[in-house]
Amino acid sequence: MYSDTNKKLTRPVTLSKLRKMKQEQEKFTCLTSYDATFTGAMNAASIETILIGDSLGMVVQGQDSTLPVSIEDMCYHIAAVKRGNDNAFLLADMPFMSYSKPEQALDNAAKLMQAGAHMVKLEGGSWLKDTIGLLTERGIPVCAHLGLTPQAVHKLGGYKVQGKDEATAALLLKESLELEAAGTDILLYECIPSELGKTLTEAVNIPTIGIGAGPHTDGQVLVMHDMLGVTQGRKPRFVKNFLTDGRSIQEAFEAFSDEVKSGTFPAPEHGF
């Protein structure tokens, strides 16, 4: 919750809180972080959820994709974020090929949770149902990532918008409902048409997070390096640089939060 005087989070954000925010149509924010210092600044800016993403492979390690990131890499950065965190809800990516079988997923998810994560995130559709069922049965909250799934970038043929035609949009809806029924707690959609993001968010009872999925998802996430304007190379359409107009880094985080909650970000130019 927020205090009336300074709008700072005064209690830890929980999954129950995020569900309530969806019910009350209150937007929530998410940024990636990989260390204690930036996490502290996000806490001060009242960012509700923090993703320790396998994007660290690219923005921290200098890899050309997320595929080389290991469970050990993830545990190291989760522990660092946890030490800097007060009240944000922490999601953590399960890296490439760390959850190809349900029992393997359970073992690796346990490592991430023991390192400090509050929830694990997996990329994939209906084939994850048994895995999600096993994890949730064992008390591990799950975020499922649909749409553009960076771990499958070579199979997808590059970083392309997903769900643009009727058949693939229908498949995303079908998989969303199946994963919710399997026990998924949050759905994250990446690079899908804005209207599809609205349809999917309205179709499920669990919170949704979008990145390049339009303004209608319950939460919005950006990679920290992208929203601070320090990522090298081509910038995705859904990215906005918030480190402008003489802002400090914390003020950039606060501006992101303000724009998400007011509905001004993402704007039409950030969608598909």
Side-chain angles (χ1 to χ4, degrees):
M1 64 179 296
Y2 298 94
S3 69
D4 292 333
T5 55
N6 57 15
K7 301 297 183 182
K8 302 303 181 188
L9 291 168
T10 56
R11 290 192 297 188
V13 175
T14 63
L15 188 52
S16 295
K17 171 65 176 176
L18 297 177
R19 292 182 184 130
K20 183 179 179 182
M21 292 178 77
K22 178 185 178 76
Q23 293 169 356
E24 296 179 350
Q25 298 186 323
E26 179 183 352
K27 301 292 186 181
F28 65 89
T29 54
C30 184
L31 289 172
T32 64
S33 185
Y34 317 96
D35 65 26
T37 301
F38 282 106
T39 297
M42 291 177 191
N43 282 181
S46 294
I47 302 299
E48 286 95 352
T49 62
I50 291 174
L51 171 63
I52 303 93
D54 58 2
S55 50
L56 69 89
M58 303 171 77
V59 300
V60 176
Q61 297 177 338
Q63 310 280 3
D64 61 2
S65 74
T66 63
L67 273 58
V69 177
S70 68
I71 278 286
E72 291 73 23
D73 292 335
M74 291 304 305
C75 287
Y76 174 89
H77 288 279
I78 292 166
V81 168
K82 180 181 183 295
R83 287 190 288 268
N85 185 54
D86 290 324
N87 292 315
F89 188 76
L90 304 182
L91 297 79
D93 274 333
M94 295 194 68
F96 180 65
M97 293 303 290
S98 67
Y99 51 99
S100 57
K101 297 179 181 179
E103 287 72 20
Q104 177 200 26
L106 181 61
D107 289 343
N108 285 323
K111 293 176 182 177
L112 301 189
M113 297 293 286
Q114 289 171 335
H118 299 137
M119 169 179 280
V120 298
K121 181 166 77 66
L122 302 81
E123 297 182 10
S126 296
W127 67 272
L128 283 173
K129 287 188 294 183
D130 290 344
T131 296
I132 290 169
L134 179 62
L135 293 178
T136 57
E137 183 182 67
R138 299 299 194 274
I140 299 175
V142 175
C143 173
H145 183 149
L146 292 169
L148 172 60
T149 48
Q151 291 177 14
V153 62
H154 297 305
K155 178 68 175 177
L156 295 173
Y159 296 95
K160 299 179 179 179
V161 179
Q162 305 296 304
K164 291 195 294 184
D165 60 80
E166 187 174 332
T168 55
L171 178 60
L172 280 171
L173 175 58
K174 174 178 178 290
E175 291 187 318
S176 297
L177 296 173
E178 289 178 347
L179 294 181
E180 180 182 17
T184 299
D185 297 287
I186 292 178
L187 283 163
L188 187 149
Y189 298 109
E190 181 170 356
C191 284
I192 63 172
S194 298
E195 282 304 307
L196 180 57
K198 182 176 187 291
T199 297
L200 297 175
T201 295
E202 292 174 349
V204 298
N205 295 311
I206 56 178
T208 63
I209 300 175
I211 179 167
H216 304 291
T217 53
D218 302 307
Q220 295 289 336
V221 61
L222 285 177
V223 172
M224 177 185 71
H225 293 66
D226 287 346
M227 60 86 66
L228 293 179
V230 297
T231 303
Q232 302 299 308
R234 181 176 173 270
K235 304 298 187 295
R237 177 171 176 171
F238 53 76
V239 168
K240 177 178 178 178
N241 181 3
F242 287 87
L243 191 62
T244 57
D245 302 322
R247 291 173 180 152
S248 67
I249 287 174
Q250 184 179 321
E251 288 169 341
F253 295 158
E254 291 170 351
F256 169 72
S257 178
D258 289 344
E259 291 195 22
V260 168
K261 290 183 177 298
S262 68
T264 56
F265 178 82
E269 62 266 25
H270 302 120
F272 300 100

